[in-house]
Amino acid sequence: MIVEKRSIVEKLLFILLALAFVVIFGFPFVITAMMSLKSLADYMSGNFWGFPQPIYFGNLQRVLFSDFNLFFLNSLFITGTSVIITVLAASLASYAFAKLKFRISPLLFTLFIIGMMIPIHATLIPVYQLTDALGLLDRRVGLIGPYVSRGLPVGIFIMTSFFREVPNSIQESAHVDGASAVRIYWSIMLPISTPAISTVAILNFLSYWNEFIIAMTIINSANRQTVPMGIRHFHGAEAINIPAVFAAILIASLPVMIFYMFAQERVINGLSAGAIKG
């Protein structure tokens, strides 16, 4: 009886804690959505926290039928390409660090980890000079290299830790069957590393999509700018129409939320599959 009461209390506490997290982390999104559906007159009348009276879709239309669509596509191309390259490069390097022992492996791994401690502002001038030397200044592909270099240290750290937990017997069995290191990586290590890949993809997608300082340093042309830069210019053009700015922020946040929901499901499925196999 006491055990049942404790179980009920623990479930209630868990539910209350989950509701608290939903309120805390969902409140900014709710406010953004409500503000984006208010007219300028409704906002100026002092209705800051209330529901839109009436609901106004003009702000969303203004954003969707502006240059913001171009900023959106630029960010999708740059972020998507950078995430794919980061995941592939990090998984290859992590497989080598975890399963292919060579003399300078600890040194190289340490150098990558040190990369996580370098402030992004300290790299702006070298990144600008290198991008200019390669002829990639003011080009969308010029952002992919800096983004990947910023995401690799975290990706390698996460995936190396995951690969080290994979039993060596799996690799040894594949070697006995005649599989090469490349075949083991592609056919065995990648499929079972779905949780780690999803985690790296989520973290880097969020980082690349919201990145501003490197994009502002490399990109000058208006038609090649990313979403964060587009929001800045939209805010400048709509300095008084605050609801329109919130509409731009709402639309810009949707891809991140959608990607996170799908990737989160992959992480849960991967962890569940691993638990069942174990």
Side-chain angles (χ1 to χ4, degrees), residues 137-189:
L137 199 63
D138 197 25
R139 298 181 61 183
R140 285 169 293 192
V141 293
L143 289 175
I144 295 175
Y147 283 5
V148 172
S149 66
R150 296 298 304 178
L152 273 179
V154 175
I156 289 175
F157 177 77
I158 293 174
M159 298 201 70
T160 300
S161 300
F162 182 88
F163 284 151
R164 283 174 177 169
E165 296 298 323
V166 177
N168 291 328
S169 58
I170 297 178
Q171 183 178 354
E172 294 170 357
S173 299
H175 271 306
V176 171
D177 293 337
S180 63
V182 176
R183 182 63 182 272
I184 294 173
Y185 160 78
W186 187 258
S187 301
I188 299 177
M189 302 302 285

